[in-house]
Amino acid sequence: MIDIHTHILPGLDDGARHREEALAMLRMAAAAGTTDMVASSHANLEFAFDPQVAEERIAGLQGAVGNAPRIHYGCELHLTPESIADVLRFPQKYSIGHRGYLLLEFSDFLVPKTSSEILGRMIARGVHPIIAHPERNPILRKRMPELEAWVGQGCAMQVTAQSLLGRFGKAAAVASHELMARGLVHFLASDAHDCEHRPPVLDQVRRYVEEAFDPETADRLLRENPQAVLDGAPLATGPVHVRKRPWFSFSLW
Ligand SMILES: [Fe+2]
């Protein structure tokens, strides 16, 4: 499996606090079947993002863990007027592996009316926006038609594994299942911040999706599409995810 959203670089944001914690997270991920992780440190008003520092931290960790898992460059960019301008000036600076896919986080309090236009301008610059966990955003999760339009426009959606499993509460669980039902989910990722509360593991969600949906869907969301991101290649398209059983028949919480 390939995890495109993790906070594993020590000291750069509110994820791994130090090198030992980062190494523990990497080893935990590898043990759960993750082969590749994108180090998507926050780039927002609280945490400045420096590409060179990120590359150095990745190299330092990679040397310690060998190739299990492989660590890839990226960030989680918070949408602000300044970050939009910088993406448009330097389209590859924030993208995963510098290959075009950009993990983009919207504010919980304000979604610009011009979002579609902003996303369109990024796409025109060769950036492929991936909307980070829309199911956890109280504004976005109430705007399914708008999310659908963004996907039609060329955006992709990443849902947090723990949302689908009910660990971010009922509203996020309901929204993540509605996104699945509408065929709007392209990635499941851990958004790991530590080893305990938000761990870097995807094996449980893989089993859930295999059972509740089907193995092909699990593979597409956890391996095939994430691999395309690492390669800078087009995403696989798939059918609307049809649940075998109503999701509430699983004991999620
Ligand atoms: Fe995150």
Side-chain angles (χ1 to χ4, degrees), residues 1 11 27 54 101 170 179 186 190 230 237 251:
M1 291 177 284
R27 291 182 179 123
Y101 285 93
K170 191 168 181 179
L179 287 163
H186 301 83
S190 71
L230 299 184
T237 52
S251 56

Side-chain angles (χ1 to χ4, degrees), residues 72-136:
H72 302 268
Y73 174 90
C75 75
E76 179 180 11
L77 187 72
H78 194 80
L79 197 75
T80 64
E82 294 75 24
S83 71
I84 295 163
D86 212 39
V87 167
L88 295 174
R89 278 184 72 199
F90 306 106
Q92 300 302 334
K93 175 177 170 185
Y94 301 97
S95 75
I96 295 173
H98 306 289
R99 289 188 167 173
Y101 285 93
L102 172 70
L103 195 60
L104 201 57
E105 184 192 42
F106 280 78
S107 162
D108 279 355
F109 309 105
L110 178 76
V111 172
K113 284 197 177 108
T114 52
S115 293
S116 173
E117 186 195 325
I118 293 164
L119 295 167
R121 288 174 69 192
M122 289 184 181
I123 292 167
R125 290 285 283 144
V127 171
H128 306 293
I130 299 173
I131 314 301
H133 41 67
E135 82 286 356
R136 283 164 45 202

Side-chain angles (χ1 to χ4, degrees), residues 5 7 40 42 76 103 105 133 136 191 193 198:
H5 188 160
H7 298 269
S40 54
H42 285 294
E76 179 180 11
L103 195 60
E105 184 192 42
H133 41 67
R136 283 164 45 202
D191 197 358
H193 280 64
R198 300 178 65 180

